[in-house]
Amino acid sequence: MEVIRFHLDNIPHFDSLCLALGEFDGMHKGHQALVFEASLEEMNRAILLFACPLPSKSKYVLTSLEDKINLLKRDDELDYCLVIEDEIASLSPREFIDKVLSPLGSKKIIVGSDFRFGYQGKGDVALLKEHFEVKEVPFVLTKGKKISTSSIRQDLLNGNLDEARFCLGRPYEVVGMSVKGKQMGRKMGFPTLNLSLKAPYVLPKEGVYVCLIYFQGRYFKGMVNVGSNPTIHAGESKHIEAHLFGYEGEDDYGFTCYVSFLSFIREEMTFSSITELEEQLKKDKVVALSYED
């Protein structure tokens, strides 16, 4: 799959383009269904992504733009990933058609039945059908309800990792850069990677989790604390600290770290002493090591 980034004044053109349209935050099973439908067409097959988030949407995301691209590359079902770099929220629906979809050479559009586009979401599937052949893909359901980004976000905030994982088709993952912390974990025998997240990710419910962590070219099982860690960092904002089982490196700052959440261990707690915290971490580690995915 080729990734093509472009601006409104330099739009690439394709002959007979089949284009999957949507917001694609999360790349969940509903989005995957759109990509699959597009992949079945015998023409140029592409997805359109937006570098600038829509102002009406939450600033917190399930997937960054780079996450979406990496997931699409992994599945490799399409010929092109088209990324428009301009802010387009002010375009009316017809301007979006005239300035983006038509110049691309769009012949067939793949969308969900509730797809909206253009300024204030005033464009709908009926308008698309006036200009293109359109394939409406049925909703993907779980427990009788439509899988959606908002429902997955709520599952994560409630600590319901199993439901979020089912809807995503994979464990929920965040990506960050390892940065220097206060190194208190190291003094207790639980050195951690402190993460500066690469996107404003939705963070799961505050607490301790079993995670699979990719760092420095290797996968590690580990446990991750999401929250303020009040025993040590009283008054600080929510952050992520990851303890990697079997990792012996030190001072590895400035490297990308991928954290996949597998299972909830316990809620975040305030301890009366560092010793009490250390004893609880030992218990958490036993639970995490016994987890089988």
Side-chain angles (χ1 to χ4, degrees), residues 181-201:
K182 295 184 178 180
Q183 301 184 329
M184 292 296 295
R186 183 176 301 178
K187 296 176 182 178
M188 293 186 291
F190 288 89
T192 60
L193 294 177
N194 292 267
L195 298 187
S196 174
L197 297 178
K198 290 191 172 184
Y201 291 106

Side-chain angles (χ1 to χ4, degrees), residues 206-217:
E206 293 187 359
V208 179
Y209 294 83
V210 185
C211 290
L212 183 66
I213 302 157
Y214 184 75
F215 185 66
Q216 294 282 59

Side-chain angles (χ1 to χ4, degrees), residues 53 73 109 128 152:
K73 285 182 176 179
I109 305 291
L128 285 177
I152 296 171

